[in-house]
């Protein structure tokens, strides 16, 4: 089968589509024939070598951890999934390899009928990440939340999930993306110099939590929150620990934190089921910035690095 991988650190050009051995479903997992899969921004950082000191990898490194497709193998002990089912979900964090013709999913949910394959292929990672951080911040009804980088793949989903919890959401983005944020239920604000004053104008009583999807502005975000413990970042900001901000990344219940990082949080896979309900109610969509054929994975990485329209970049089979 075809699989996206890279065998050295470097620019997008090091990304290749290579022939790889097909994976097979084991106990508690399913295999899908992939229709679409997400491009992970975190993996572009890994590929560039930017994260080599904190995320060591073994080459060749196969990419992708969220995908959607049709079930073609069911592992021992799996209930509620059968051959031919249309699903979306995620691989084990220690395995990855979803940017391929076949992928083994460790967590999944039925593909919402209202989502295209492209939307479903890029959904699971964003849903899990957004749910994990909102849970850690204990966001609920009546809270005011600032989402920094609200027009990105995770940010757009985080806005909608926070709104569904009954929170008031302020989202930072370029002005050209403000209408999108309004359509998702957020009050938009432009990021950059002077952000604390602009947020104060929208939320004079302050904010209860800050979800940082973008990085590079932690001092301002701490000032807005009033306490670094009320800020969580998913950006690879190496100043976070020194500033007292938690940098969240996920670990499954059957994976040790020592393998993936002592600060890892348990994966919020319960968010996948909730997202199906919200999608059916018309309360959750997954904006897709661009869709590339699997064979053009390097071009997808290049677009991710230079900036793109709101939403998630996906690869289609």
């Amino acid at each position: 089968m075809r699989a996206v991988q890279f065998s050295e650190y470097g620019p997008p050009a090091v990304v290749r589509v290579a022939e790889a051995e097909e994976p097979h479903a084991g106990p508690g997992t399913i295999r899908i024939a992939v229709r679409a899969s997400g491009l992970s921004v975190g993996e572009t950082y890994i590929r560039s070598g930017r994260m080599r000191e904190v995320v060591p990898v073994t080459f060749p490194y196969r990419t992708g951890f969220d995908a959607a497709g049709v079930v073609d193998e069911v592992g021992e002990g799996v209930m509620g999934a059968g051959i031919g089912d249309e699903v979306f979900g995620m691989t084990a964090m220690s395995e990855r390899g979803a940017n391929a013709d076949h992928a083994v999913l460790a967590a999944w949910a039925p593909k919402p009928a209202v989502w295209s394959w492209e939307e479903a292929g890029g959904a699971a990672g964003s849903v899990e990440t957004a749910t994990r951080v909102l849970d850690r911040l204990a966001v609920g009804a009546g809270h005011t939340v600032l989402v920094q980088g609200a027009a990105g793949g995770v940010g757009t989903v985080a806005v909608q999930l926070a709104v569904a919890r009954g929170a008031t959401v302020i989202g930072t983005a370029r002005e050209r993306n403000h209408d999108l944020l309004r359509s998702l239920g957020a009050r938009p604000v432009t990021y950059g110099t002077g952000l604390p004053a602009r947020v104060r104008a929208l939320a004079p009583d302050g904010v209860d939590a800050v979800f940082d999807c973008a990085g590079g502005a932690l001092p301002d975000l701490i000032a807005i929150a009033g306490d670094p413990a009320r800020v969580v970042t998913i950006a690879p900001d190496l100043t976070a620990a020194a500033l007292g901000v938690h940098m969240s990344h996920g670990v499954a219940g059957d994976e040790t934190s020592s393998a993936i990082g002592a600060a890892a949080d348990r994966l919020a896979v319960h968010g996948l089921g909730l997202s199906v309900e919200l999608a059916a109610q018309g309360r959750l969509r997954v904006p897709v910035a661009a869709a590339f054929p699997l064979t053009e994975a390097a071009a997808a990485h290049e677009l991710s690095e230079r900036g793109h329209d709101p939403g998630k970049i996906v690869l289609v089979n």
Side-chain angles (χ1 to χ4, degrees), residues 32-38 66-71 85-90 98 100-101 103 105 109 111 115-124 315 317:
I32 62 171
V34 177
R35 296 291 183 86
S37 58
D66 53 359
V70 179
V71 178
D85 288 353
E86 296 183 351
V87 301
F88 75 106
M90 21 190 334
D101 286 323
L105 303 184
K111 172 187 169 294
W115 285 355
S116 67
W117 282 115
E118 290 82 1
E119 290 171 300
L315 303 175
N317 294 51

Side-chain angles (χ1 to χ4, degrees), residues 200-214:
R200 196 176 308 117
L202 292 175
D205 294 329
V207 303
D208 299 289
V210 176
F211 184 167
D212 175 31
C213 302

